[in-house]
Amino acid sequence: MTAPLFHLEPGALDHVGVAEVITLAGSEGHHAATVMRLQPGEPVLLSDTVGRRAEGRVRSAGSGQLEVEILSLLQEPRLLPRLVLVQALAKDRRDLQGVESATELGVDAVIPWQAERSVARWKAGREAKKHAEWVAMVRTAAKQTRRTTIPEVRPLHSTSGYLQAIKAAGAEVGVVVLHETDETSLAQAIAALQAPGGHASQAPGAPAHQLTELHLIVGPEGGISDREIELLTGAGARIARLGPTVLRSSTAGPAALAAAQLLLGRWDWDTGAGHPEQSA
């Protein structure tokens, strides 16, 4: 069984070396020492949540904290393009279901989207609370799947706000809108975005530009409106259909993310072959 993973604050492993002993305290230390009752000699994983991870061994266990000896350190490379799920708000927490599965499948960031046809709404004055729910879901799913990094949950975007964001990003961001009536495959849409002149802001014949982010847009229960499709394609987005069936809002994002991981070769990378710094 894989060693349990515990999250530290960003930067907590920056100046830590192999054979050093660090203290795991706070809520994570309480869970490790009091709930899991880890004992000296047992293996643990520590993550700074932004790409650096350590393998360690419990040196001693106390009241609500552990002393952990660092055995090895590894810096995970930053894979490009970053995969971003633009998830429309959906009823019955189907949006959160999609975000949870996407986190397990390796999404790098999530954007909550208030689409025109979204039945669910973040009421005025409750945006911070709803955003915190998404952050909590992402953190829990990342920890459950032993992810070194925790995906970013960006602020809630309206359609107009999202359009402004991708227009400002220009050719560095590629956007694929998942839509049930289109005949273009996800593979074709991604290839078109990566090809020379594949983005609306690029001139035909221009050299290929490395995407820094690939956005996968999932609509709400009622689908994405024709007006939104027109606005998104006008901003350079590609439309694609994900298979022969119509998927729920909670399923489409994770399915597209898994397909994109394979198409981009991101799952060919071995997490154990990152950038090891030292090992005991």
Side-chain angles (χ1 to χ4, degrees):
M1 180 177 178
T2 306
L5 172 72
F6 299 99
H7 288 152
L8 306 175
E9 293 297 320
L13 295 173
D14 286 356
H15 304 292
V16 175
V18 169
E20 290 187 31
V21 176
I22 66 173
T23 300
L24 179 64
S27 60
E28 292 287 75
H30 171 78
H31 185 73
T34 306
V35 179
M36 297 187 69
R37 298 181 182 276
L38 295 180
Q39 298 298 313
E42 293 193 73
V44 295
L45 299 174
L46 303 176
S47 164
D48 69 355
T49 73
V50 290
R52 201 167 193 223
R53 147 174 121 243
E55 293 183 358
R57 177 171 54 220
V58 178
R59 174 72 69 85
S60 65
S63 178
Q65 66 179 38
L66 297 179
E67 298 295 322
V68 178
E69 179 185 2
I70 303 301
L71 302 179
S72 66
L73 291 159
L74 182 141
Q75 181 68 46
E76 290 188 354
R78 182 183 176 92
L79 301 180
L80 294 178
R82 300 183 76 220
L83 297 179
V84 180
L85 173 63
V86 182
Q87 174 67 58
L89 302 187
K91 64 181 182 180
D92 298 329
R93 296 174 64 85
R94 289 201 177 111
D95 45 12
L96 275 174
Q97 291 174 27
V99 168
E100 179 181 37
S101 296
T103 301
E104 294 172 1
L105 291 165
V107 76
D108 295 301
V110 175
I111 299 177
W113 175 35
Q114 183 72 71
E116 290 182 356
R117 293 177 177 171
S118 288
V119 175
R121 300 274 166 173
W122 287 8
K123 296 180 181 178
R126 292 174 54 88
E127 294 93 344
K129 180 178 180 180
K130 299 300 292 186
H131 185 270
E133 288 183 14
W134 285 47
V135 171
M137 177 65 76
V138 161
R139 293 185 69 90
T140 300
K143 186 174 181 179
Q144 178 68 32
T145 49
R146 308 295 198 271
R147 287 192 57 174
T148 300
T149 58
I150 296 178
E152 172 192 8
V153 180
R154 297 177 185 172
L156 176 69
H157 281 57
S158 63
T159 299
S160 61
Y162 178 70
L163 287 166
Q164 291 175 8
I166 60 174
K167 286 179 179 178
E172 293 189 353
V173 172
V175 179
V176 177
V177 183
L178 303 176
H179 198 274
E180 63 193 58
T181 62
D182 203 84
E183 295 302 322
T184 304
S185 70
L186 181 62
Q188 291 170 328
I190 292 176
L193 286 169
Q194 293 180 316
H199 191 279
S201 66
Q202 290 178 271
H209 183 82
Q210 170 66 58
L211 297 176
T212 59
E213 292 189 351
L214 174 63
H215 291 203
L216 302 170
I217 298 184
V218 175
E221 303 92 331
I224 302 172
S225 71
D226 291 341
R227 190 185 81 89
E228 288 172 322
I229 291 291
E230 183 177 352
L231 290 171
L232 288 164
T233 53
R238 299 279 174 165
I239 312 298
R241 182 175 182 176
L242 191 63
T245 59
V246 178
L247 301 179
R248 281 183 166 181
S249 184
S250 58
T251 310
L257 183 74
Q261 293 275 34
L262 291 169
L263 290 168
L264 296 170
R266 285 171 47 121
W267 278 352
D268 296 333
W269 176 71
D270 180 5
T271 57
H275 301 309
E277 297 169 11
Q278 291 177 310
S279 59

